[in-house]
PDB file of all heavy atoms in Angstrom:
ATOM      1  N   SER L  69       4.890 -24.154  46.887  1.00  0.00           N
ATOM      2  CA  SER L  69       5.387 -24.855  48.071  1.00  0.00           C
ATOM      3  C   SER L  69       5.619 -26.282  47.998  1.00  0.00           C
ATOM      4  O   SER L  69       6.367 -26.841  48.791  1.00  0.00           O
ATOM      5  CB  SER L  69       4.524 -24.508  49.273  1.00  0.00           C
ATOM      6  OG  SER L  69       3.257 -25.014  49.015  1.00  0.00           O
ATOM      7  N   ARG L  70       5.207 -26.898  46.874  1.00  0.00           N
ATOM      8  CA  ARG L  70       5.445 -28.342  46.689  1.00  0.00           C
ATOM      9  C   ARG L  70       6.715 -28.692  46.121  1.00  0.00           C
ATOM     10  O   ARG L  70       7.242 -29.853  45.989  1.00  0.00           O
ATOM     11  CB  ARG L  70       4.327 -28.980  45.791  1.00  0.00           C
ATOM     12  CG  ARG L  70       3.032 -28.909  46.499  1.00  0.00           C
ATOM     13  CD  ARG L  70       1.942 -29.420  45.485  1.00  0.00           C
ATOM     14  NE  ARG L  70       1.914 -28.581  44.332  1.00  0.00           N
ATOM     15  CZ  ARG L  70       1.078 -28.797  43.280  1.00  0.00           C
ATOM     16  NH1 ARG L  70       0.354 -29.805  43.228  1.00  0.00           N
ATOM     17  NH2 ARG L  70       1.033 -27.924  42.314  1.00  0.00           N
ATOM     18  N   PHE L  71       7.455 -27.557  45.590  1.00  0.00           N
ATOM     19  CA  PHE L  71       8.856 -27.725  45.023  1.00  0.00           C
ATOM     20  C   PHE L  71       9.843 -28.281  46.109  1.00  0.00           C
ATOM     21  O   PHE L  71       9.944 -27.588  47.147  1.00  0.00           O
ATOM     22  CB  PHE L  71       9.302 -26.459  44.419  1.00  0.00           C
ATOM     23  CG  PHE L  71      10.542 -26.460  43.558  1.00  0.00           C
ATOM     24  CD1 PHE L  71      10.413 -27.054  42.234  1.00  0.00           C
ATOM     25  CD2 PHE L  71      11.744 -26.274  44.008  1.00  0.00           C
ATOM     26  CE1 PHE L  71      11.484 -27.149  41.420  1.00  0.00           C
ATOM     27  CE2 PHE L  71      12.878 -26.413  43.210  1.00  0.00           C
ATOM     28  CZ  PHE L  71      12.792 -26.860  41.895  1.00  0.00           C
ATOM     29  N   LYS L  72      10.446 -29.470  45.915  1.00  0.00           N
ATOM     30  CA  LYS L  72      11.318 -29.938  46.933  1.00  0.00           C
ATOM     31  C   LYS L  72      12.720 -29.567  46.728  1.00  0.00           C
ATOM     32  O   LYS L  72      13.257 -29.667  45.508  1.00  0.00           O
ATOM     33  CB  LYS L  72      11.208 -31.462  46.975  1.00  0.00           C
ATOM     34  CG  LYS L  72       9.816 -32.049  47.116  1.00  0.00           C
ATOM     35  CD  LYS L  72       9.352 -31.842  48.565  1.00  0.00           C
ATOM     36  CE  LYS L  72       7.996 -32.421  48.785  1.00  0.00           C
ATOM     37  NZ  LYS L  72       7.095 -31.685  49.607  1.00  0.00           N
ATOM     38  N   LYS L  73      13.410 -29.257  47.786  1.00  0.00           N
ATOM     39  CA  LYS L  73      14.862 -28.833  47.700  1.00  0.00           C
ATOM     40  C   LYS L  73      15.722 -29.992  47.134  1.00  0.00           C
ATOM     41  O   LYS L  73      16.743 -29.664  46.535  1.00  0.00           O
ATOM     42  CB  LYS L  73      15.302 -28.305  49.103  1.00  0.00           C
ATOM     43  CG  LYS L  73      16.631 -27.621  48.968  1.00  0.00           C
ATOM     44  CD  LYS L  73      16.926 -26.960  50.181  1.00  0.00           C
ATOM     45  CE  LYS L  73      18.154 -26.042  49.934  1.00  0.00           C
ATOM     46  NZ  LYS L  73      18.491 -25.255  51.137  1.00  0.00           N
ATOM     47  N   ASP L  74      15.295 -31.197  47.438  1.00  0.00           N
ATOM     48  CA  ASP L  74      16.141 -32.344  46.958  1.00  0.00           C
ATOM     49  C   ASP L  74      16.281 -32.339  45.492  1.00  0.00           C
ATOM     50  O   ASP L  74      17.184 -32.846  44.824  1.00  0.00           O
ATOM     51  CB  ASP L  74      15.477 -33.679  47.402  1.00  0.00           C
ATOM     52  CG  ASP L  74      15.390 -33.866  48.866  1.00  0.00           C
ATOM     53  OD1 ASP L  74      16.141 -33.041  49.575  1.00  0.00           O
ATOM     54  OD2 ASP L  74      14.648 -34.742  49.427  1.00  0.00           O
ATOM     55  N   TYR L  75      15.212 -31.863  44.715  1.00  0.00           N
ATOM     56  CA  TYR L  75      15.144 -31.897  43.299  1.00  0.00           C
ATOM     57  C   TYR L  75      15.875 -30.598  42.654  1.00  0.00           C
ATOM     58  O   TYR L  75      16.051 -30.556  41.437  1.00  0.00           O
ATOM     59  CB  TYR L  75      13.832 -31.922  42.783  1.00  0.00           C
ATOM     60  CG  TYR L  75      13.026 -33.011  43.326  1.00  0.00           C
ATOM     61  CD1 TYR L  75      11.793 -32.925  43.954  1.00  0.00           C
ATOM     62  CD2 TYR L  75      13.453 -34.450  43.153  1.00  0.00           C
ATOM     63  CE1 TYR L  75      11.038 -33.989  44.489  1.00  0.00           C
ATOM     64  CE2 TYR L  75      12.650 -35.465  43.597  1.00  0.00           C
ATOM     65  CZ  TYR L  75      11.586 -35.292  44.280  1.00  0.00           C
ATOM     66  OH  TYR L  75      10.833 -36.334  44.756  1.00  0.00           O
ATOM     67  N   MET L  76      16.163 -29.637  43.498  1.00  0.00           N
ATOM     68  CA  MET L  76      16.781 -28.432  43.028  1.00  0.00           C
ATOM     69  C   MET L  76      18.050 -28.608  42.193  1.00  0.00           C
ATOM     70  O   MET L  76      18.209 -28.132  41.136  1.00  0.00           O
ATOM     71  CB  MET L  76      17.003 -27.447  44.267  1.00  0.00           C
ATOM     72  CG  MET L  76      17.529 -26.150  43.737  1.00  0.00           C
ATOM     73  SD  MET L  76      16.233 -25.103  43.230  1.00  0.00           S
ATOM     74  CE  MET L  76      17.088 -23.555  43.136  1.00  0.00           C
ATOM     75  N   GLY L  77      18.986 -29.435  42.826  1.00  0.00           N
ATOM     76  CA  GLY L  77      20.271 -29.634  42.079  1.00  0.00           C
ATOM     77  C   GLY L  77      20.112 -30.328  40.745  1.00  0.00           C
ATOM     78  O   GLY L  77      20.738 -29.961  39.747  1.00  0.00           O
ATOM     79  N   TYR L  78      19.174 -31.270  40.782  1.00  0.00           N
ATOM     80  CA  TYR L  78      18.934 -32.000  39.467  1.00  0.00           C
ATOM     81  C   TYR L  78      18.323 -31.102  38.442  1.00  0.00           C
ATOM     82  O   TYR L  78      18.746 -31.067  37.273  1.00  0.00           O
ATOM     83  CB  TYR L  78      18.066 -33.259  39.709  1.00  0.00           C
ATOM     84  CG  TYR L  78      17.621 -33.813  38.306  1.00  0.00           C
ATOM     85  CD1 TYR L  78      18.511 -34.768  37.810  1.00  0.00           C
ATOM     86  CD2 TYR L  78      16.403 -33.651  37.868  1.00  0.00           C
ATOM     87  CE1 TYR L  78      18.111 -35.369  36.529  1.00  0.00           C
ATOM     88  CE2 TYR L  78      15.978 -34.284  36.696  1.00  0.00           C
ATOM     89  CZ  TYR L  78      16.889 -35.066  36.046  1.00  0.00           C
ATOM     90  OH  TYR L  78      16.546 -35.724  34.859  1.00  0.00           O
ATOM     91  N   ALA L  79      17.359 -30.283  38.860  1.00  0.00           N
ATOM     92  CA  ALA L  79      16.683 -29.331  37.955  1.00  0.00           C
ATOM     93  C   ALA L  79      17.686 -28.350  37.442  1.00  0.00           C
ATOM     94  O   ALA L  79      17.690 -27.974  36.287  1.00  0.00           O
ATOM     95  CB  ALA L  79      15.558 -28.571  38.756  1.00  0.00           C
ATOM     96  N   LEU L  80      18.577 -27.813  38.228  1.00  0.00           N
ATOM     97  CA  LEU L  80      19.659 -26.779  37.913  1.00  0.00           C
ATOM     98  C   LEU L  80      20.607 -27.497  36.855  1.00  0.00           C
ATOM     99  O   LEU L  80      20.971 -26.799  35.904  1.00  0.00           O
ATOM    100  CB  LEU L  80      20.355 -26.280  39.058  1.00  0.00           C
ATOM    101  CG  LEU L  80      19.522 -25.287  39.964  1.00  0.00           C
ATOM    102  CD1 LEU L  80      20.328 -25.101  41.248  1.00  0.00           C
ATOM    103  CD2 LEU L  80      19.312 -24.030  39.275  1.00  0.00           C
TER     104      LEU L  80
END
Side-chain angles (χ1 to χ4, degrees):
S69 60
R70 292 178 297 178
F71 192 80
K72 303 288 183 220
K73 194 167 187 179
D74 298 344
Y75 303 125
M76 182 80 170
Y78 175 78
L80 287 167

